[in-house]
Amino acid sequence: TNLVLPNINTSTFPTVEDFTFTCRRRMLGNLTADQFALAYTGNIAPSLKSASPVHYWRSTDQSTSVHEAVCKKRGRWHLITFGSHGRYRAAAVNKCVRAAGQIQRGVLDSCTNSSLATLPARWRRKHNVSRASRGAGWWKWKAFTILRRLQGLQEGDVLVHADYDLVLSHDLSALF
């Protein structure tokens, strides 16, 4: 039986048995009709909004998603991390070392790790970013490093920031 959704040409719409969707070379299966409609058309069903753990999605009037930015554009995916110094820096470096396998498999396109040493000295002094304060300067470096990396990306690229201590599985495809 064909699923009927408003404003959709149902002659090309898959049957209920075919609720799979491929995004970034990852097959998503066993989707509900509402999940499939979101992936296939960008329509956001009220049931998905109400079930979301994210306040924005529970409260927004937005009814369509711009999922094309993730699933249809050929944007590249970039991971960044930061470790201020010592063992924190080593953990950030190790995160990118582990991500190298994801880059080789085409799941991820790059991984960049930053530290206090890679931040401009003038900027560090101006914003009191150092090892002496909590969060290596109350985490002011986070917005700076993310903005700096975003400025180097192309339209449609996706940037993911992962703290140095976030444990990533050996397969990052669930994130992308």
Side-chain angles (χ1 to χ4, degrees), residues 90-106:
V93 168
N94 192 38
K95 186 170 297 305
C96 283
V97 168
R98 287 190 316 255
Q102 303 298 319
I103 293 169
Q104 290 174 347
R105 286 194 291 283

Side-chain angles (χ1 to χ4, degrees), residues 45-57:
S47 66
L48 294 178
K49 287 183 182 183
S50 66
S52 176
V54 179
H55 173 74
Y56 172 82
W57 289 115

Side-chain angles (χ1 to χ4, degrees), residues 123-145:
W123 185 89
R124 283 194 331 260
R125 283 190 306 275
K126 179 180 178 182
H127 296 281
N128 297 315
V129 173
S130 72
R131 294 171 40 172
S133 60
R134 185 174 174 161
W138 296 100
W139 298 275
K140 293 174 192 170
W141 50 264
K142 191 175 284 194
F144 179 80
T145 58

Side-chain angles (χ1 to χ4, degrees), residues 3-10 13 33-34 36-38 41 43:
L3 178 66
V4 178
L5 295 173
N7 303 322
I8 297 174
N9 177 356
T10 58
F13 203 75
D34 288 341
F36 185 79
L38 173 62
T41 68
N43 290 332

